[in-house]
Amino acid sequence: MERILSPHWHHLPEDEVLDLLNSDKKKGLDIFETEERAKQFGPNRLTAKAGKSAFTRFMLQFNQPLVYILLSAGIITLLLQEWVDAGVILAVVLVNAIVGFSQESKAVKAIDALSKTMTAQATVIRSGKKQQVDSTELVPGDIVILQSGDKVPADLRLIEIRDLQVDESALTGESLPVEKNQDILAHDVVLADRRNMAYASSLVTFGQGVGIVVATGDKTEVGKISQLISETEELETPLTKKIAHFSHILLYIIIGLAALTFAVGVYRGENMVDMFMAAVALAVGAIPEGLPAAVTITLAIGVSRMAKRRAIIRKLPAVETLGSTTVICSDKTGTLTENQMTVTEIVGADKKYSVTGSGYSPNGEILLNNKRIVPADQPLLKELLLAGVLCNDTSLKEKEGSWVVQGDPTEGALLVAGRKAGFDETELSEHYSRIDAIPFESQHQYMATLHAIPDADYNIIYVKGSLEAILERSSVALGSNLQPGELVADAIEKSAETMAARGLRVLAFARKTINKADEKIDHADIQNDLEFIGLQAMIDPPRPEAIKAVKACQTAGVSVKMITGDHVLTAKEIGRQIGITNSGEQNGLKSAYTGKELEQLSDSEFIRAANYAGIFARVTPEQKLRLVQALQSSAHVVAMTGDGVNDAPALKRADIGTAMGITGTEVAKEASDMVLTDDNFASIEAAVEEGRGVFDNLTKFIVWTLPTNLGEGLVILAAIFAGVMLPIIPLQILWINMTTAILLGLMLAFEPKEPGIMMRKPRNPQTPILTGNLILRILLVGGMMLLGAFGIFKWELDRGMSLEEARTAAVNVFVFIEIFYLFNSRSLSGSVFKIGFFSNPILFAGVAIMITLQMLFTYVPLFNSMFQSAPIGWDVWGRVLLIALATSLVVAIEKWITNKRFKRTA
């Protein structure tokens, strides 16, 4: 039975398949054989992969450098017996852990969702009898009967077909149902073109068929995808990488400075306990307690903003990752396109018409030589559109303001074309009542309908189908005034080939009149003597907003690539229309590749192709995953969109996996970081814009908060080195850090996006959060805080003020420098007046509350006793404000110099 594992069932004749599987087409397997095979192959379900326990996953949430900093701050404040502050800090740690834990285990959920897609009932033949069994009981060699509406329960080699059509979009990305046949295929035919196979989790949309089970459970194609999902490594986001690196550096600096403080003090003969508390004060000052909370809240605000723009974020760091994106790999159908077939060109006699509008909306016009025409004045055009509307089993309806097709999308496109000419299918059906019909069958490649003509002594047959099927049955072609003329097949074929080469799907139309008494038709009636009417060509058109969004991404330096299961010609035409093109072949590289072509490439050639080409058609799930990995190996941050089971491994591997909310499978959604509620590429572009804004605001917070931590640390260090009393004590440091982080720093999370944010190139993923210029600014402001706080502390003591008053003045220097510097930080490079001084009203509310709290800190006795502060005079306030204003001016000058130098070197 090892032969059952053959991967090339599509390449073998039916008899050989039956022989290899020891099965019988008429009788199937007997009950004893099914039991034996069930023991050998196991149940037809996906194997659940063992994962970490819930407790382990929860504890791992604490294994992060940022959390180490928070835990350190919490423990230190506990040692200081500051229960409220300790409680706040440890509560932040706990909330972060709970949020992270709730968003874990994507792979497990994705595999669970896959298992659900495979659970169904199956009709089988066993021991010569037809019976219903649970799909989990199927074994290789079972004979399965398929009917319209069935979910395919296992991988099948088809051995009987009757007009069978299967929707494989979730597995292959093919946008339309696939017509199946029993032909023997070449062994290297890609999955999407294996017309004699039906795969587990796909859906029968039309016809009937019989197949023999060739793979079950983990051995099915969907099982292989499950394995890919579980094995796919999920990358850290750029933000988590940068914050982790930044936090490690910060930890080492804090530990080093605290140890240095302790050592210097002891060396100078100071009391060891006092020096330990001084080291603690330095550590408390240097730890940015508000940073993890600020990161979480800034990202959460980004999530809220993106939700309003139809992008739902499943993982918080994904918000920032979008801002780092350098390549977007997008599915075609429904994301870049309308997912609504639309007639765009009509050819009749020697005239070629173009049709405006897109999708199922009947808004549009018919043009000849770019001029609007009245279809009623064009007899042949009218007849061609009439044929498309009458030879049709689909209906077009308006629901909640949008137009939907009930039936075949291709026929829906014909109805819409008719509507644009003023033809209402309901009225026409009443006027030209249908008497009989020949439904579409794949072996004939046409559909025909018989209609009664009012006040006429004949009935008329309208026929639509493939060009080959219609041409070989036609004897004449109708002219522009419906006069019969010579049928020039070569010219018609050339016209059709030209349209097909641009990815359009071409349908041919013909008619035939018969006696009034004939009210039945069969294939013999339309075998010959048809009158050829013309052609209608259609395509799933690009979304107008997608065209703008692609251009906006390209302007922003983000490359857009199309990865689709559709045909390469169609993909190239859509790519041309939306602007996903390059200069063609270059150094052996092509602008578009098929999955079959990708198979032939070495690893290095594959990476070069992934970076150069803009279109990849007919690709397998493994190739989608490999494309993502190839781009990432070239240091790209990759966003990948998808909706099918076949997309899940690539979605999980991508830096940003983006699933479709409307058409997406549960598997794709569970493997993703973001879900688009409208399945629209424009929402991805909006999310990239929001992501850039989020990173800007995070950087602004870090650049704003670190000078305070640096200044506090330096003040403690300077005091120890100078052998003087501490200008600020640990409790006052905690007051500064916790109040300003919440009331001032977090207000930066509400900053609107700066103008021109999508005109910038993407950030290099290797670039650290803080550039050289920003580090210089942090050192500059931290130095100003050291000079200001230490200077005013010493000044007030020398003037005879108490220690508490001097320390209160120093604390206020820190707070008011932070307030003034907050306005500098609203733009990293420009003036606050350029972005709109009053554009963030929440910031002003935060400043007002902070000033109020400082008044309480300074003048209310309860606060004086809690924080060892004391009231100060107005002259002291004057010096505090002067120091804060001077710091703000210094930063403004630094920005001006930096911008001038940048312009000179640009």
Side-chain angles (χ1 to χ4, degrees):
M1 292 295 289
E2 288 300 318
R3 291 177 298 171
I4 286 180
L5 303 179
S6 167
H8 299 306
W9 297 108
H10 58 279
H11 182 53
L12 302 177
E14 294 172 20
D15 292 341
E16 191 174 338
V17 174
L18 289 164
D19 182 53
L20 283 169
L21 292 163
N22 297 323
S23 189
D24 184 278
K25 184 176 181 178
K26 300 294 183 185
K27 296 181 180 179
L29 301 174
D30 62 42
I31 188 157
F32 299 108
E33 184 63 24
T34 55
E35 289 175 355
E36 284 299 314
R37 295 190 186 189
K39 292 176 185 176
Q40 181 179 355
F41 294 101
N44 179 32
R45 66 164 67 99
L46 300 179
T47 305
K49 305 297 187 293
K52 297 183 181 74
S53 69
F55 177 76
T56 302
R57 294 201 311 272
F58 181 72
M59 293 307 295
L60 284 173
Q61 304 304 315
F62 299 95
N63 185 29
Q64 301 173 39
L66 274 178
V67 176
Y68 299 156
I69 293 176
L70 273 179
L71 285 172
S72 300
I75 292 167
I76 290 167
T77 48
L78 278 175
L79 291 173
L80 294 170
Q81 298 185 359
E82 295 300 325
W83 313 118
V84 174
D85 292 321
V88 169
I89 294 170
L90 295 176
V92 169
V93 174
L94 187 61
V95 168
N96 281 341
I98 292 171
V99 170
F101 175 72
S102 67
Q103 294 176 337
E104 282 291 311
S105 307
K106 278 201 298 184
V108 175
K109 290 181 181 178
I111 291 171
D112 287 344
L114 270 170
S115 298
K116 292 173 188 174
T117 68
M118 291 190 63
T119 304
Q121 290 290 304
T123 304
V124 299
I125 298 174
R126 288 181 177 173
S127 302
K129 296 180 180 178
K130 187 189 294 186
Q131 54 187 284
Q132 288 270 324
V133 299
D134 193 281
S135 65
T136 58
E137 299 174 14
L138 291 178
V139 296
D142 261 325
I143 304 298
V144 176
I145 299 171
L146 298 174
Q147 294 185 340
S148 181
D150 287 350
K151 184 177 285 187
V152 179
D155 286 1
L156 309 177
R157 169 65 159 88
L158 298 170
I159 54 178
E160 284 186 15
I161 297 288
R162 186 175 179 188
D163 304 325
L164 184 66
Q165 295 182 22
V166 179
D167 179 358
E168 297 178 337
S169 58
L171 189 65
T172 66
E174 173 70 64
S175 55
L176 295 172
V178 178
E179 294 177 18
K180 295 295 182 178
N181 57 46
Q182 296 164 248
D183 299 342
I184 298 171
L185 303 173
H187 71 89
D188 60 348
V189 169
V190 296
L191 185 73
D193 291 330
R194 294 177 189 171
R195 299 302 174 94
N196 59 9
M197 299 288 294
Y199 292 105
S201 82
S202 56
L203 184 68
V204 178
T205 60
F206 189 78
Q208 298 89 38
V210 177
I212 181 169
V213 175
V214 296
T216 58
D218 293 335
K219 300 297 182 183
T220 61
E221 291 298 327
V222 77
K224 293 173 187 175
I225 294 172
S226 167
Q227 187 68 21
L228 273 178
I229 295 172
S230 63
E231 292 175 354
T232 300
E233 180 186 358
E234 191 168 2
L235 299 184
E236 284 186 290
T237 67
L239 178 67
T240 53
K241 287 179 190 174
K242 289 172 183 175
I243 291 289
H245 179 68
F246 171 72
S247 300
H248 276 119
I249 293 173
L250 204 56
L251 269 177
Y252 300 145
I253 292 172
I254 291 169
I255 293 169
L257 288 177
L260 179 64
T261 300
F262 181 77
V264 169
V266 172
Y267 177 76
R268 294 174 63 90
E270 301 288 348
N271 181 280
M272 288 185 68
V273 174
D274 290 342
M275 288 305 95
F276 176 76
M277 291 309 296
V280 167
L282 186 142
V284 170
I287 291 173
E289 293 92 343
L291 180 57
V295 170
T296 301
I297 291 170
T298 304
L299 293 176
I301 292 168
V303 167
S304 175
R305 288 178 174 176
M306 287 186 184
K308 292 175 183 175
R309 301 185 75 173
R310 300 182 178 87
I312 305 300
I313 301 297
R314 297 182 68 249
K315 276 199 159 187
L316 281 181
V319 179
E320 182 277 331
T321 309
L322 279 160
S324 310
T325 300
T326 58
V327 177
I328 299 173
C329 297
S330 177
D331 189 24
K332 176 182 72 69
T333 306
T335 307
L336 292 168
T337 66
E338 298 273 9
N339 198 18
Q340 297 178 351
M341 295 298 285
T342 306
V343 173
T344 57
E345 295 181 23
I346 299 173
V347 176
D350 295 327
K351 295 179 179 178
K352 183 177 179 180
Y353 304 88
S354 58
V355 185
T356 65
S358 65
Y360 295 145
S361 168
N363 296 319
E365 299 174 340
I366 299 176
L367 310 177
L368 179 61
N369 299 324
N370 293 322
K371 294 180 180 178
R372 180 183 177 186
I373 54 99
V374 179
D377 298 338
Q378 307 274 332
L380 182 66
L381 173 63
K382 181 181 177 182
E383 189 71 4
L384 183 50
L385 293 168
L386 189 64
V389 172
L390 293 177
C391 189
N392 202 309
D393 286 329
T394 295
S395 61
L396 179 69
K397 297 188 181 299
E398 187 176 16
K399 287 185 179 179
E400 298 176 0
S402 62
W403 292 86
V404 294
V405 160
Q406 294 178 332
D408 183 76
T410 301
E411 291 190 336
L414 299 175
L415 293 181
V416 174
R419 287 281 187 112
K420 290 173 182 176
F423 294 155
D424 184 284
E425 63 273 12
T426 305
E427 294 177 4
L428 288 176
S429 296
E430 292 174 357
H431 190 67
Y432 300 96
S433 58
R434 183 187 291 192
I435 304 170
D436 196 16
I438 300 174
F440 179 88
E441 293 179 341
S442 55
Q443 65 265 39
H444 296 298
Q445 292 292 308
Y446 61 74
M447 171 186 176
T449 54
L450 174 64
H451 298 269
I453 304 297
D455 304 323
D457 58 357
Y458 59 88
N459 292 330
I460 192 165
I461 303 171
Y462 285 112
V463 189
K464 78 166 186 291
S466 70
L467 180 63
E468 295 80 5
I470 302 302
L471 270 183
E472 69 182 20
R473 290 167 173 79
S474 299
S475 57
V476 297
L478 296 180
S480 56
N481 290 313
L482 301 182
Q483 74 279 13
E486 182 185 359
L487 179 69
V488 185
D490 288 346
I492 295 170
E493 288 171 348
K494 186 176 180 180
S495 181
E497 286 170 5
T498 301
M499 292 187 286
R502 300 202 316 277
L504 277 72
R505 185 177 186 183
V506 182
L507 286 180
F509 296 83
R511 71 177 192 179
K512 184 178 182 179
T513 56
I514 61 174
N515 293 328
K516 191 77 172 178
D518 295 333
E519 296 187 347
K520 290 284 183 183
I521 55 171
D522 58 25
H523 295 291
D525 292 315
I526 54 174
Q527 193 61 33
N528 47 46
D529 294 333
L530 296 183
E531 296 176 329
F532 186 84
I533 307 173
L535 307 171
Q536 292 195 51
M538 63 192 70
I539 198 168
D540 179 12
R543 293 175 180 259
E545 61 271 31
I547 297 172
K548 295 177 184 176
V550 167
K551 187 174 182 180
C553 286
Q554 292 168 339
T555 302
V558 180
S559 174
V560 180
K561 297 180 185 291
M562 182 196 299
I563 301 180
T564 178
D566 225 332
H567 291 281
V568 68
L569 287 176
T570 305
K572 286 172 77 172
E573 173 60 15
I574 294 297
R576 182 190 65 78
Q577 292 183 36
I578 64 178
I580 302 178
T581 56
N582 50 27
S583 54
E585 292 198 22
Q586 184 175 316
N587 298 325
L589 295 171
K590 300 170 66 176
S591 61
Y593 284 88
T594 64
K596 199 168 183 179
E597 290 169 332
L598 290 174
E599 283 179 1
Q600 314 302 319
L601 302 180
S602 66
D603 286 346
S604 59
E605 290 171 336
F606 193 99
I607 291 172
R608 289 177 62 225
N611 280 279
Y612 180 77
I615 295 168
F616 302 90
R618 285 297 207 225
V619 291
T620 65
E622 292 86 355
Q623 288 170 335
K624 287 189 177 187
L625 175 59
R626 197 175 167 205
L627 282 166
V628 171
Q629 292 170 325
L631 291 166
Q632 288 171 335
S633 72
S634 302
H636 284 294
V637 176
V638 182
M640 169 81 187
T641 77
D643 55 8
V645 172
N646 61 326
D647 297 317
L651 288 174
K652 187 184 172 195
R653 171 70 192 201
D655 298 281
I656 284 290
T658 305
M660 303 298 111
I662 299 172
T663 59
T665 60
E666 286 304 311
V667 182
K669 291 175 187 176
E670 292 295 343
S672 69
D673 301 287
M674 179 173 78
V675 178
L676 302 182
T677 59
D678 60 352
D679 292 10
N680 194 333
F681 184 86
S683 297
I684 304 174
E685 184 265 332
V688 168
E689 184 180 351
E690 292 294 342
R692 290 188 174 192
V694 165
F695 187 82
D696 272 5
N697 289 349
L698 277 176
T699 306
K700 289 171 186 177
F701 176 85
I702 292 170
V703 172
W704 171 83
T705 194
L706 287 187
T708 303
N709 302 113
L710 176 65
E712 289 165 345
L714 289 176
V715 163
I716 303 298
L717 201 60
I720 298 300
F721 272 74
V724 300
M725 287 178 290
L726 298 180
I728 47 177
I729 59 175
L731 198 59
Q732 293 169 342
I733 291 173
L734 270 177
W735 166 265
I736 295 170
N737 289 357
M738 298 306 289
T739 55
T740 58
I742 294 168
L743 293 171
L744 300 180
L746 285 183
M747 300 305 106
L748 291 171
F750 296 93
E751 280 295 314
K753 295 180 294 295
E754 292 191 32
I757 198 168
M758 286 299 281
M759 301 298 288
R760 310 177 195 161
K761 297 300 178 188
R763 294 188 318 278
N764 186 328
Q766 310 305 317
T767 303
I769 293 177
L770 298 177
T771 61
N773 286 335
L774 296 180
I775 292 173
L776 178 64
R777 188 176 304 164
I778 289 168
L779 293 174
L780 185 65
V781 177
M784 293 290 290
M785 285 182 169
L786 165 66
L787 294 174
F790 207 95
I792 202 167
F793 175 73
K794 188 77 169 58
W795 177 278
E796 300 307 331
L797 283 179
D798 289 346
R799 290 178 61 240
M801 295 185 72
S802 68
L803 180 62
E804 289 76 11
E805 289 174 312
R807 282 176 171 164
T808 302
V811 168
N812 277 304
V813 163
F814 271 104
V815 171
F816 278 86
I817 285 179
E818 286 190 82
I819 290 173
F820 278 70
Y821 180 49
L822 181 69
F823 287 91
N824 293 108
S825 300
R826 290 182 61 192
S827 174
L828 294 172
S829 57
S831 164
V832 66
F833 296 102
K834 287 186 177 180
I835 64 170
F837 189 77
F838 297 103
S839 59
N840 184 2
I842 296 176
L843 181 137
F844 287 91
V847 168
I849 296 171
M850 188 67 238
I851 292 173
T852 302
L853 285 180
Q854 278 309 110
M855 296 302 108
L856 297 176
F857 174 89
T858 305
Y859 295 109
V860 173
L862 176 63
F863 282 77
N864 295 155
S865 60
M866 284 174 59
F867 295 102
Q868 299 179 39
S869 59
I872 56 176
W874 291 110
D875 57 329
V876 181
W877 280 114
R879 286 187 283 276
V880 167
L881 294 175
L882 194 62
I883 293 169
L885 178 61
T887 303
S888 181
L889 290 174
V890 166
V891 173
I893 293 168
E894 179 269 329
K895 279 188 187 180
W896 180 77
I897 293 172
T898 300
N899 287 336
K900 200 168 184 181
R901 188 171 65 246
F902 176 78
K903 287 177 183 177
R904 193 164 53 242
T905 57

